[in-house]
Amino acid sequence: APALSVRDLRKTYAGGVEALKGISLDVAPGDFFALLGPNGAGKSTLIGIISSLVNKTSGDVDIFGVDIAARRDAAMRLLGLVPQEINFNLFEKPYDILVNYAGFYGIPRAEAAQRAEAELRNARLWDKAQVMSRTLSGGMKRRLMIARAMMTRPKLLILDEPTAGVDIEIRRDMWRTLREINAAGTTIILTTHYLEEAESLCRNLAIIDHGRIVQQGPMRALLAQL
Ligand code: ADP
Ligand code: ADP
């Protein structure tokens, strides 16, 4: 099954805004996929529905063949989400943030401890495990957000505008981390409004505008047209 399959997805918000007007797309297992589009295109709405934070109006979404409406818990176990805003407690230590997050997902303490060390090492944050996370640099905080999402060992990692508003050094640093995660086998989907980011990272992309996909395919084919 595809890592993600979306069929004729529509979303009309209360108040009448049609944020998604019939979106269909497939993302293959192992892909690094970009949803590229300007502000207001519908990217966050799409990500919100895929991660069960926003109710769809109609259409179907499967994650690795699991229907998110019919089998929500099973589908969400396959998915890791990195939200746009930093939303961990700045007065907790990175190690505790990761272990507590795993606990919330029912991962036993010993396993959580092992994963926390592994993920902090992957994120190049192991030497920061016991500092107050408030003291981490902007780039380190972003990497901690990714490390936290990886604690549940998702098969599909979704990031909403992961590098919006960060400087080029932090952006490059996050790109490196995301490439490593993808190379280790996790399918990644990110939203972005930077063509440069999609170009640098992604094999395939969909361009979304006014709630519709206006172009979809391999990055290389798209660049050849520009
Ligand atoms: P993007 O992530 O591409 O910037 P969004 O999905 O946030 O786009 O927004 C798509 C459209 O839906 C916009 O017109 C936006 O104003 C509208 N919208 C987003 N969230 C809500 C909401 N909670 N209620 C009403 N309208 C919304
Ligand atoms: P920012 O770009 O937000 O200042 P970075 O995370 O990119 O933060 O790192 C800033 C500096 O800290 C860089 O010189 C980098 O080499 C170094 N650095 C990165 N990760 C760690 C870490 N886990 N421990 C110590 N130093 C680090």
Side-chain angles (χ1 to χ4, degrees):
L4 176 71
S5 167
V6 175
R7 287 288 158 265
D8 198 22
L9 188 65
R10 292 167 194 273
K11 173 64 181 181
T12 305
Y13 282 106
V17 176
E18 287 182 77
L20 300 179
K21 300 170 184 166
I23 297 271
S24 296
L25 62 89
D26 283 313
V27 176
D31 202 356
F32 202 141
F33 190 96
L35 286 165
L36 178 70
N39 286 326
K43 303 183 298 296
S44 296
T45 300
L46 179 55
I47 293 298
I49 293 171
I50 293 166
S51 49
S52 287
L53 300 171
V54 173
N55 290 319
K56 69 190 181 189
T57 300
S58 65
D60 289 300
V61 178
D62 288 7
I63 298 174
F64 287 96
V66 180
D67 184 319
I68 65 160
R71 299 172 59 206
R72 178 179 164 165
D73 290 351
M76 290 309 113
R77 270 197 293 279
L78 300 170
L79 185 142
L81 179 67
V82 180
Q84 205 178 118
E85 306 298 329
I86 286 163
N87 66 353
F88 52 75
N89 185 341
L90 293 169
F91 295 92
E92 277 183 46
K93 298 166 181 171
Y95 185 84
D96 297 336
I97 289 169
L98 297 198
V99 169
N100 293 341
Y101 185 80
F104 182 78
Y105 284 90
I107 295 163
R109 187 86 192 176
E111 174 69 19
Q114 271 185 15
R115 289 190 192 184
E117 175 169 350
E119 295 310 330
L120 287 168
R121 287 188 188 281
N122 288 344
R124 288 164 281 129
L125 288 171
W126 180 237
D127 59 338
K128 303 287 181 188
Q130 300 297 339
V131 306
M132 205 61 94
S133 39
R134 177 172 50 85
T135 66
L136 299 176
S137 73
M140 292 178 195
K141 284 180 183 133
R142 296 278 176 169
R143 297 207 299 273
L144 182 57
M145 293 282 288
I146 297 170
R148 185 180 63 173
M150 293 304 293
M151 284 295 286
T152 61
R153 302 281 152 86
K155 291 180 71 177
L156 172 62
L157 183 67
I158 296 189
L159 303 100
D160 193 6
E161 300 259 359
T163 64
V166 307
D167 66 36
I168 186 66
E169 254 175 86
I170 300 180
R171 187 171 305 155
R172 292 234 167 88
D173 181 63
M174 292 180 71
W175 289 356
R176 170 180 164 188
T177 301
L178 292 174
R179 279 195 195 98
E180 287 168 0
I181 289 170
N182 180 244
T186 305
T187 308
I188 298 183
I189 299 175
L190 58 77
T191 69
T192 185
H193 58 263
Y194 301 116
L195 175 63
E196 181 207 3
E197 178 157 278
E199 187 181 343
S200 166
L201 285 175
C202 298
R203 277 185 289 278
N204 293 289
L205 85 168
I207 301 178
I208 173 168
D209 193 18
H210 291 94
R212 288 197 172 87
I213 290 177
V214 295
Q215 212 160 1
Q216 183 170 193
M219 190 73 226
R220 217 173 288 166
L222 178 91
L223 289 173
Q225 290 174 26
L226 292 180

